[in-house]
């Protein structure tokens, strides 16, 4: 498929800069997990589930992270599961709205969107499913600490 741009004043250089901003380490925090889960459910998360998730995230017992080592490659990490190694191809760039349409292949295959909500916050959605993964940029040391076993 051909890569296209929705922004008429955009350049190929501008498009690659948006994709280049993905490179790095990303992790979900408690608040973002709640927002994503409630979007998937279409309703507010019950308070007992909210508290359970909060304790798991704050204790380090549960984490959700993405690592983009370079353009076109990503690895997903979730507590209790093997890392998901994937490649992605940018199919379309909407630079004005800061959205990349992507085709992901590897351990997990899907068509989706990466939306930059802020410079340090992205939302990854699958076209065929409700819900989203919302992650924020973190440093390599914080990422490595999250990947380690919880203390205690």
């Amino acid at each position: 498929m051909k890569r296209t741009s929705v922004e008429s004043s955009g350049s190929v250089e501008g498009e690659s800069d948006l994709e280049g901003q993905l490179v790095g380490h990303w992790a979900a925090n408690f608040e973002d997990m709640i927002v994503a889960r409630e979007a998937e459910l279409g309703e507010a998360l019950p308070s007992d589930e909210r508290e359970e998730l909060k304790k798991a995230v704050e204790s380090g017992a549960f984490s959700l992270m993405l690592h983009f080592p370079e353009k076109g490659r990503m690895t997903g990490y979730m507590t209790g599961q093997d890392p998901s190694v994937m490649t992605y191809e940018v199919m379309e760039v909407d630079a004005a709205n800061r959205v990349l349409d992507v085709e992901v292949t590897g351990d997990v295959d899907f068509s989706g969107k990466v939306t930059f909500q802020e410079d340090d916050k992205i939302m990854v959605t699958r076209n065929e499913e409700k819900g989203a993964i919302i992650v924020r940029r973190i440093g390599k040391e914080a990422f490595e600490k999250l990947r380690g076993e919880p203390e205690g």
Side-chain angles (χ1 to χ4, degrees):
M1 286 190 228
K2 188 177 177 201
R3 182 178 171 143
T4 59
S5 175
V6 174
E7 184 183 47
S8 58
S9 62
S11 66
V12 172
E13 183 179 319
E15 293 170 15
S16 64
D17 287 346
L18 192 60
E19 183 183 1
Q21 290 177 39
L22 284 176
V23 174
H25 301 85
W26 303 81
N29 66 23
F30 166 70
E31 292 82 12
D32 293 333
M33 285 185 190
I34 293 295
V35 168
R37 184 74 178 124
E38 289 179 343
E40 186 178 340
L41 294 172
E43 61 186 38
L45 198 61
S47 59
D48 58 333
E49 288 184 39
R50 180 183 290 257
E51 280 305 308
E52 204 173 292
L53 181 58
K54 183 176 184 178
K55 286 178 186 172
V57 171
E58 290 177 351
S59 71
F62 178 79
S63 62
L64 174 65
M65 301 170 295
L66 295 175
H67 179 216
F68 294 85
E70 62 188 13
K71 290 180 184 180
R73 291 184 46 223
M74 70 183 215
T75 304
Y77 299 89
M78 190 159 60
T79 305
Q81 297 184 9
D82 290 334
S84 298
V85 179
M86 297 160 277
T87 59
Y88 69 89
E89 182 178 351
V90 175
M91 307 310 290
E92 186 173 327
V93 176
D94 179 349
N97 293 309
R98 302 183 72 199
V99 177
L100 300 172
D101 282 350
V102 294
E103 289 289 330
V104 178
T105 56
D107 291 344
V108 179
D109 295 341
F110 66 93
S111 298
K113 296 185 183 316
V114 176
T115 304
F116 286 82
Q117 295 184 320
E118 300 166 14
D119 285 344
D120 66 344
K121 181 178 171 183
I122 59 173
M123 178 173 62
V124 180
T125 55
R126 295 182 186 197
N127 292 345
E128 61 276 357
E129 295 180 20
K130 281 183 169 181
I133 295 172
I134 301 171
V135 289
R136 295 174 185 266
R137 185 179 301 280
I138 63 172
K140 183 178 181 179
E141 285 182 15
F143 185 87
E144 293 299 329
K145 185 176 179 184
L146 282 171
R147 277 190 58 199
E149 292 299 314
E151 294 178 14

